[in-house]
Amino acid sequence: MNPTPPYDTLILEGGSLRCAFTAGVMDALLLLGPLPFERMLGVSAGSMVMATYLAGQYKHFYRISRDLVEDGTFIRFTSAWSKEGLMNLAHLKAHVLRHAPLDLDALAEAQIRTRAWVVTTQYDTGEPRYLEPRGREWIDVLVASASLPLVTRGKVKFRGTWMFDGGYSDPLPLDKALEFGGQNILVVRTRPVGDHISQSYVDSFCSYWYRHDAALVPLFEKGHARYNATVDRLLEGGDAERRTWEEIAPPFPLRTDSWSVGGQELALDYRLGVDTAMNWWAHRHL
């Protein structure tokens, strides 16, 4: 029996409710392993899964997501132009604090062994920021990383600086993981291996809405091209310096890849994540 390679770094891609798949993957690995990592980088909702994995809170992300999509308050099309936007992050934060708090003590203990960065985008520069939250900072930085222009409240102040979704500036932080010292990297994706994306309708509208902001417009106009370049690089599996990376990804597009999501779609994508991780684990141990 061959042991699983000693991955030293974990990257969790974002994707809003598509991260139900990610939660399934990480919950399976939590039970099978858990795999130890020296460092982790989480983007957007992927950072929420990262936090629950570090804290050892099995099914935490899935339960929160299921509760939110079923209560009719988190996603509300009639609120699209309100202060909170289509997806109500204030409701998310209140729900987590009241009904499903993160185990901050367990997170602090885990951070002794594992460095964990949440990827955000600095609002005034458009540059990625890699933040290591501590204690009660976790909730605020997770909300910041998931704040989408025109979809949620748009930006959140963290440590005195306005931030928004890290997926706009560095959706697949492979280069940063290598810069931080990663040698054997595991990347958990929310899109199938090799899948390219095109500029979304939201990004097209944002490029017009923020047309006078030279720092932000390139994120909306060219972000998909940067993303696709990293997707192609991931297919190489490594580089000339003998640093390697491997993907765990859904075999087909997820059901939660839309705004109209219910509990059934979440459950199916979560289960797909569990099955994909178990198959991956079995293959690595053949």
Side-chain angles (χ1 to χ4, degrees):
M1 180 177 293
N2 296 322
T4 301
Y7 300 101
D8 55 39
T9 305
L10 174 71
I11 296 173
L12 297 181
E13 182 180 13
S16 189
L17 293 172
R18 289 200 310 275
C19 285
F21 172 84
T22 309
V25 169
M26 299 312 298
D27 279 346
L29 296 184
L30 189 64
L31 296 181
L32 292 167
L35 294 179
F37 298 96
E38 295 177 24
R39 63 193 65 82
M40 296 183 181
L41 295 95
V43 183
S44 191
S47 64
M48 299 180 186
V49 179
M50 177 180 73
T52 61
Y53 180 81
L54 277 170
Q57 291 178 271
Y58 178 67
K59 279 194 172 182
H60 187 267
F61 180 91
Y62 170 67
R63 288 176 178 142
I64 291 173
S65 300
R66 184 192 59 198
D67 290 345
L68 290 174
V69 300
E70 290 180 347
D71 75 2
T73 302
F74 178 57
I75 300 177
R76 183 178 290 176
F77 287 93
T78 57
S79 301
W81 296 104
S82 69
K83 177 183 177 181
E84 287 299 328
L86 174 65
M87 301 176 74
N88 191 324
L89 294 181
H91 179 66
L92 167 61
K93 180 177 178 179
H95 179 87
V96 170
L97 290 174
R98 181 178 302 173
H99 301 291
L102 280 170
D103 188 337
L104 298 180
D105 290 337
L107 270 172
E109 180 68 24
Q111 285 181 279
I112 296 173
R113 303 179 300 275
T114 302
R115 296 192 69 179
W117 288 274
V118 176
V119 184
T120 67
T121 301
Q122 187 167 328
Y123 188 84
D124 59 348
T125 66
E127 294 294 322
R129 291 292 178 263
Y130 308 91
L131 305 174
E132 289 187 271
R134 299 290 176 179
R136 294 186 179 277
E137 288 185 330
W138 270 101
I139 297 296
D140 290 333
V141 76
L142 293 178
V143 171
S145 184
S147 296
L148 293 157
L150 302 183
V151 177
T152 68
R153 67 179 66 176
K155 58 183 179 178
V156 172
K157 186 170 282 188
F158 180 77
R159 294 178 182 170
T161 302
W162 289 106
M163 303 285 183
F164 67 99
D165 196 314
Y168 275 100
S169 56
D170 197 359
L172 289 169
L174 177 62
D175 282 331
K176 200 64 180 181
L178 295 170
E179 179 185 323
F180 282 155
Q183 297 293 315
N184 299 291
I185 302 170
L186 182 63
V187 185
V188 180
R189 301 283 311 284
T190 54
R191 298 187 187 277
V193 171
D195 261 22
H196 284 185
I197 62 172
S198 56
Q199 187 182 32
S200 69
Y201 291 117
V202 171
D203 286 353
S204 295
F205 190 78
C206 282
S207 66
Y208 172 78
W209 190 264
Y210 295 97
R211 63 190 180 278
H212 300 302
D213 194 323
L216 296 185
V217 166
L219 301 180
F220 307 125
E221 292 186 344
K222 301 177 181 178
H224 64 288
R226 291 194 300 270
Y227 177 88
N228 292 339
T230 307
V231 167
D232 291 342
R233 190 175 172 201
L234 285 173
L235 293 173
E236 298 172 3
D239 62 14
E241 298 179 42
R242 296 186 177 180
R243 299 177 296 186
T244 65
W245 45 82
E246 183 175 353
E247 300 174 69
I248 298 179
F252 45 78
L254 297 171
R255 294 169 175 83
T256 45
D257 196 7
S258 71
W259 300 118
S260 300
V261 176
Q264 181 178 8
E265 290 85 359
L266 275 171
L268 290 171
D269 283 349
Y270 175 81
R271 183 64 206 184
L272 179 63
V274 172
D275 290 344
T276 301
M278 292 180 69
N279 290 335
W280 174 84
W281 183 273
H283 176 74
R284 302 303 307 182
H285 287 75
L286 288 177

